[in-house]
Amino acid sequence: MGGEDGEDGEDRLARYHGKRRFDTTDEPRGEGADPAGELSFVVQIHDARRMHFDFRLEVDGVLKSWAVPRGPSTDPGDKRLAVPTEDHPLEYREYEGVIAAGEYGAGPVIVWDQGTYRPLGAGGPDAFAAALDRGHASFRLTGRKLRGAYALTRFRSGEDGSGEAWLLVKKTGSGSTRGRRATPDPRRARSARTGRTLRQVNRGTPDRTMPDHGSPRVHRSEGNDHA
C-alpha cells in the first residue's frame, strides 16, 4: 500500500487522474504539495451517488483514502466499514466544493474534520506505511472534532473478487464516547473549514471561515449534532 512497488507520488495518483477530467472538475490535479511538518488527516463528507464520509491519511506523500458509509465513530463499540479508494493528492486536504455533474463522484463535498495524526508504535512513518500494507495500523488523531486513538484493520483482502474491506474503530481513552450520538448527521454537519453544510455548498452559499484558536477543537452546530 505504501511505496512497496517503488512508485513515486505521480504513479500512485494514476488511478486518481484516470477517473477525472480536469478541464471539467475543479478538484486538484495534484501538483506536488509539500508535506507539512506533521502528518495530516482529513475527513470529508461527500453526497455523491451514495452519501458517505471519506477518511484520508497522509502516507508516503499522498492521501491514503477509505470511503466510510456510516462515518467514523467516537464510540469504541462501533466497527465502521471502510472501503479503500484511490490515493488522492495532498492538495485534496483542502478541497470543498461541488464536483460537476457527469464527473466521477458528482456532488457536493465538505471538509468535516481535519488535523494531524501520529502513528502509534515504533518506527515512524515508514513503519506505519508497512503496517498498513500488512493490514493493521493504529494512530492518534488530533483534529477539530475527532481526537484520540483509532485503528484500521483489513478483514477482507479482495483477492477472491469480493472487494477489499477494512474496519475503522475508535480505541478507548481520550476522545471516546458511549451512550450518545457518536457520528454526525451528514446532512446537518458543518465544515470545519467554512462552517457550511452540504446543502449550502451545493447552493454556493459564501463560506463562514472558522476561526483558528491555535489548537484543534470541536465546532458544533445547532443542537447536539456533533458537527
Side-chain angles (χ1 to χ4, degrees):
M1 176 178 278
E4 60 185 286
D5 296 321
E7 298 174 317
D8 61 23
E10 182 67 23
D11 291 333
R12 289 200 299 273
L13 293 176
R15 285 185 61 209
Y16 173 85
H17 289 148
K19 290 174 178 285
R20 291 161 175 84
R21 296 177 298 175
F22 292 101
D23 58 344
T24 305
T25 182
D26 66 347
E27 296 167 280
R29 183 184 297 270
E31 303 295 344
D34 293 330
E38 297 180 276
L39 295 170
S40 61
F41 84 94
V42 65
V43 181
Q44 285 153 315
I45 302 179
H46 186 184
D47 190 7
R49 184 163 56 101
R50 292 186 178 90
M51 179 82 74
H52 65 280
F53 292 70
D54 287 306
F55 184 82
R56 312 189 197 279
L57 296 173
E58 178 184 343
V59 181
D60 285 347
V62 295
L63 294 175
K64 307 304 293 186
S65 300
W66 292 260
V68 184
R70 297 179 60 197
S73 175
T74 54
D75 186 341
D78 291 338
K79 294 178 173 61
R80 294 296 165 86
L81 174 66
V83 179
T85 64
E86 72 275 11
D87 295 347
H88 283 52
L90 293 181
E91 293 94 325
Y92 217 93
R93 292 173 295 201
E94 300 182 359
Y95 179 72
E96 185 167 294
V98 181
I99 301 174
E103 285 298 299
Y104 175 73
V109 177
I110 63 169
V111 174
W112 176 70
D113 195 18
Q114 60 184 170
T116 61
Y117 82 93
R118 177 170 58 86
L120 296 179
D126 290 342
F128 184 76
L132 281 174
D133 286 337
R134 292 192 298 270
H136 178 77
S138 298
F139 47 93
R140 184 174 299 279
L141 300 179
T142 304
R144 294 183 176 229
K145 301 170 185 179
L146 298 177
R147 301 180 70 88
Y150 282 78
L152 275 164
T153 304
R154 185 170 57 222
F155 69 89
R156 191 170 66 211
S157 68
E159 294 176 357
D160 60 357
S162 58
E164 184 178 343
W166 296 60
L167 291 175
L168 175 64
V169 180
K170 176 74 179 73
K171 295 190 172 188
T172 57
S174 173
S176 61
T177 61
R178 290 187 184 273
R180 60 187 178 90
R181 190 180 191 93
T183 307
D185 176 347
R187 297 192 183 280
R188 295 184 60 204
R190 293 189 178 275
S191 166
R193 291 181 59 81
T194 66
R196 296 182 296 175
T197 64
L198 285 166
R199 183 180 180 186
Q200 289 172 328
V201 168
N202 206 28
R203 291 188 314 202
T205 302
D207 68 42
R208 305 165 27 191
T209 302
M210 307 302 283
D212 183 356
H213 296 286
S215 62
R217 54 172 290 185
V218 173
H219 295 284
R220 301 185 184 275
S221 66
E222 303 87 356
N224 186 22
D225 192 32
H226 193 68

